[in-house]
Amino acid sequence: MLRFDELDSTNAYAKRNCSLIENQTIIVAKTQSAGRGRLSRSWLSEPGGLYFSVVLKPTQITHLANLTQLMALSVCQVLRELGVAAQLKWPNDVLVNDKKICGILSEAVTSENKFDALVLGVGVNIAQTDLSRAGQPAVSLAMLGINYDAEKMLQQILDRFFAQYENVLQNGFSAIRTDYLNYFPYIGKEVIIAHGTTPTRGTVQTISPVGELILNTPAGQTVISIGDMCI
Ligand code: BTN
């Protein structure tokens, strides 16, 4: 485990130093000066939050996208154990009362067209009391009235994640589909998928055995494998 008081971004650090970092190393920072989110967004990373990246160098590179979903599920399960009504928003956000409590940014590192590593970056809002600058509706454990130790949370998330890691590497999303669907409240709901210039609107039918979102749209059944789900 590599610990820092401050980094620009744990993901950026992992990518810069990837060749020197061992498989399954965890990089943690108390704050980030340039925390990054999905879709080129930034991630507010003030003291009190949990910011870490897991560097994975599996020999087999099938089902990598499902590892991100496993991480979201792991965070969701840890929060549920604390009595928090956490839910999953496909593909890998964790929300409480429709506000974001955790975001995950997964990035592949490649060199000369060869896969080197997957960096799974996780931000969990824990002790922050003001997330008004997060750029989206956000909530922390403290704002829900729960005081919890970030270090303990990190360990619990990692325990859950690595308990299912090999299973997901071997079997993909089907290894966690039942658990994931337990915390996925959007079946039957109308959603919009933002990706590229044309959004797709439809009703959520299910999540497929490989982890894609299946929508019923006016054009028929549509399989979404990438995008941002807007409610
Ligand atoms: C999202 O947009 O929902 C993903 C946010 C991911 C934030 C985490 S914090 C630790 C790691 N380092 C980063 O710069 N980003 C991720």
Side-chain angles (χ1 to χ4, degrees), residues 9-11 32 35-38 43 52 100 103-105 121-123:
S9 146
T10 56
N11 268 37
Q32 300 182 118
R36 295 162 43 212
R38 288 177 68 228
W43 184 260
F52 69 95
K100 196 142 154 175
I104 301 170
L105 174 66
V122 184

Side-chain angles (χ1 to χ4, degrees), residues 23 56-62 64 115-116 165-166 169-170:
N23 181 28
L56 299 168
K57 299 184 172 181
T59 46
Q60 166 193 348
I61 60 163
T62 46
L64 291 186
F115 170 85
D116 289 332
Y165 175 65
E166 290 296 338
L169 267 187
Q170 296 298 323

Side-chain angles (χ1 to χ4, degrees), residues 14-15 31 35-36 49 58-59 61 64 103 124 129 154 170 220-221:
K15 287 166 72 183
T31 63
R36 295 162 43 212
T59 46
I61 60 163
L64 291 186
V124 189
T129 49
L154 171 61
Q170 296 298 323
Q221 196 185 69

Side-chain angles (χ1 to χ4, degrees), residues 8-12 27 29 32 34-45 50-53 92-94 100 102-107 119-124 136 228:
D8 52 348
S9 146
T10 56
N11 268 37
I27 297 151
Q32 300 182 118
R36 295 162 43 212
R38 288 177 68 228
L39 310 171
S40 309
R41 296 183 191 127
S42 60
W43 184 260
L44 186 68
S45 304
L50 172 61
Y51 314 105
F52 69 95
S53 298
N92 51 42
D93 285 342
V94 187
K100 196 142 154 175
C102 166
I104 301 170
L105 174 66
S106 69
E107 299 184 273
V119 178
L120 275 188
V122 184
V124 189
Q136 57 188 319
D228 217 17

Side-chain angles (χ1 to χ4, degrees), residues 29-184:
K30 288 187 181 154
T31 63
Q32 300 182 118
S33 54
R36 295 162 43 212
R38 288 177 68 228
L39 310 171
S40 309
R41 296 183 191 127
S42 60
W43 184 260
L44 186 68
S45 304
E46 293 176 345
L50 172 61
Y51 314 105
F52 69 95
S53 298
V54 183
V55 179
L56 299 168
K57 299 184 172 181
T59 46
Q60 166 193 348
I61 60 163
T62 46
H63 311 307
L64 291 186
N66 301 134
L67 293 175
T68 316
Q69 292 170 311
L70 169 62
M71 183 57 87
L73 174 65
S74 305
V75 174
C76 187
Q77 288 172 325
V78 170
L79 291 171
R80 289 248 158 190
E81 274 174 5
L82 299 179
V84 174
Q87 296 183 317
L88 294 167
K89 183 161 88 75
W90 184 91
N92 51 42
D93 285 342
V94 187
L95 307 185
V96 179
N97 302 331
D98 293 329
K99 294 179 183 157
K100 196 142 154 175
I101 195 159
C102 166
I104 301 170
L105 174 66
S106 69
E107 299 184 273
V109 183
T110 56
S111 54
E112 290 153 12
N113 283 332
K114 188 177 64 60
F115 170 85
D116 289 332
L118 183 73
V119 178
L120 275 188
V122 184
V124 189
N125 298 326
I126 299 200
Q128 304 100 307
T129 49
D130 177 11
L131 290 168
S132 55
R133 295 191 303 115
Q136 57 188 319
V139 69
S140 67
L141 280 182
M143 289 156 73
L144 295 169
I146 298 173
N147 287 321
Y148 205 72
D149 182 44
E151 188 58 35
K152 201 166 159 192
M153 164 88 45
L154 171 61
Q155 209 44 62
Q156 288 170 321
I157 294 169
L158 294 174
D159 287 350
R160 285 221 170 242
F161 178 79
F162 282 110
Q164 291 291 344
Y165 175 65
E166 290 296 338
N167 193 3
V168 171
L169 267 187
Q170 296 298 323
N171 303 306
F173 189 69
S174 56
I176 53 167
R177 184 166 180 263
T178 305
D179 287 340
Y180 190 102
L181 285 174
N182 261 338
Y183 306 125
F184 179 74

